[in-house]
Every structure is written in C-alpha cells, then in structure tokens.
Amino acid sequence: MKQLYPFLAYRPFLWLLLIVNILGTAYGYYWYDGQLEQTPSIFLAFVPDSPTASLFFVFVLIAFLWGKNWPLVEALAIVTLIKYGIWAVVMNLLVLAVTGDLGWLGWMLVGSHFAMAVQGLLYAPFYRIKWWHLAAASVWTLHNDVIDYVFFMMPRYEVLNLYMQEIGYFTFWLSIASIFITWYFCVRPGSRQYDL
C-alpha cells in the first residue's frame, strides 16, 4: 500500500482527481435539483448529501495542490465520503432487490459512489485530522441524519418508501461506522501519516 502513496501525491493525478470531483459534484447537485426546489431554505445544506461530500473533497484536493492541509475539511470529507459512498451503493442495490432492475444510471451511481468511499480512504494517510476536527465532523454528520429522518429531507428513492425506518436505522449506524473508520485511520495514536 505504501508504494501507492507517491502516485496519489503526484500533482497531475491530483489535478485529474480534482477535475473528476468537480464534475461529479456539479452533476450531483443537478441530480438533486428537483428536490432542492421543494426544500425549505433552512434544510438546503443538508439535502444534497453526496455532492456535498465530494465538494468537501474538492477543497481537500485544492489544499493539497497548494501544499496545505485543512484538517476540518479533511474530517468532513472522509467521514461523509465513506458514509454517503457506501450508503448510495447499498440503496441502489436495494432498489435492484426490490424492483429487479437498476438500469445504467443506477449502476453508474453504484460505481461512482463506491469510488467516493475509496478515494476518501486512500488519502487518509495524508490528512492531519485531530480529535476536535473529527468531533465537529461527527456533529455535522449525525445532525444531518436527524434532518434526513426526523424532518424527512433524505434523498428520494420512491420505490424504497416502505423501508424508511430501516434505512434511517442503517444510516445512523453507517454514520457511526464512518466516524470510527476515520478515527482508526486518521486520529488514533499510531495511525500512519505521509507528506504530500
């Protein structure tokens, strides 16, 4: 794994990843357009979960290209990339299980969201997250769960409406797992750190 780090820090690759994430983020916000039009303004920041996660990572990549670390943004990025990357994969596979069909767009969402989670983890050794950064990211993430499943602002998968309680329960524990994974790879004593 250590042999991969020079490639991950290679500036042309960082630029390529930045462009891909900007395009993916823009598409993600476009995907939420209809739901955002019907969302009360107080909840707007908490509705487009996946594009906001990739937007955090866009800022992480910009900081890396400037030779800097923005630990709070890194914490927000890794926790939300893991959480919403895995969440969207599971939701789309659940759509497949319920309907028997996913279509090319669904499989594209599976692949792109899986890549979100992977990129968040791959760059973990380059982050400089402290416990208070992770605490702030945890509050954001768990607060988002409350907004989604108490105020019903979650991403809309209408074929899954019958399973909202189970999805909310799964999402809460996925948040906890993402926070723990971030602690394990970035914050715990002895976690590996590499310079860009």
Side-chain angles (χ1 to χ4, degrees):
M1 189 67 172
K2 194 163 82 171
Q3 296 80 3
L4 185 61
Y5 296 140
F7 176 74
L8 293 175
Y10 184 52
R11 288 182 68 81
F13 183 72
L14 288 172
W15 277 108
L16 176 62
L17 206 54
L18 176 63
I19 292 165
V20 167
N21 275 274
I22 288 172
L23 294 174
T25 299
Y27 175 76
Y29 283 114
Y30 171 76
W31 191 85
Y32 277 96
D33 183 51
Q35 185 172 350
L36 289 172
E37 288 176 0
Q38 300 169 15
T39 299
S41 58
I42 194 171
F43 297 131
L44 282 174
F46 300 100
V47 170
D49 298 326
S50 294
T52 300
S54 59
L55 181 63
F56 290 142
F57 194 61
V58 163
F59 288 115
V60 169
L61 292 170
I62 290 169
F64 285 172
L65 287 164
W66 286 346
K68 298 183 180 300
N69 283 90
W70 294 336
L72 177 57
V73 181
E74 292 167 2
L76 287 164
I78 185 173
V79 170
T80 59
L81 285 171
I82 294 168
K83 175 186 174 181
Y84 295 115
I86 293 170
W87 187 90
V89 169
V90 171
M91 290 308 106
N92 279 283
L93 293 178
L94 187 54
V95 168
L96 176 62
V98 169
T99 67
D101 184 41
L102 194 54
W104 72 268
L105 181 61
W107 287 113
M108 182 275 291
L109 291 171
V110 167
S112 61
H113 284 80
F114 179 74
M116 281 174 52
V118 169
Q119 72 181 357
L121 273 176
L122 281 177
Y123 279 89
F126 299 104
Y127 304 147
R128 297 297 177 260
I129 300 169
K130 305 296 185 199
W131 70 267
W132 56 88
H133 304 122
L134 180 56
S138 300
V139 169
W140 169 276
T141 303
L142 294 170
H143 179 256
N144 200 341
D145 288 346
V146 172
I147 299 300
D148 281 355
Y149 295 97
V150 173
F151 294 95
F152 305 106
M153 295 291 135
M154 75 287 283
R156 293 185 184 152
Y157 283 82
E158 292 184 10
V159 298
L160 302 181
N161 282 346
L162 292 175
Y163 307 99
M164 276 303 123
Q165 288 183 329
E166 293 84 356
I167 290 170
Y169 184 78
F170 164 75
T171 303
F172 169 77
W173 285 108
L174 182 58
S175 294
I176 299 298
S178 302
I179 292 162
F180 175 79
I181 290 167
T182 302
W183 172 82
Y184 184 84
F185 283 104
C186 301
V187 179
R188 106 189 130 82
S191 56
R192 293 183 178 180
Q193 291 190 341
Y194 293 92
D195 293 321
L196 280 166

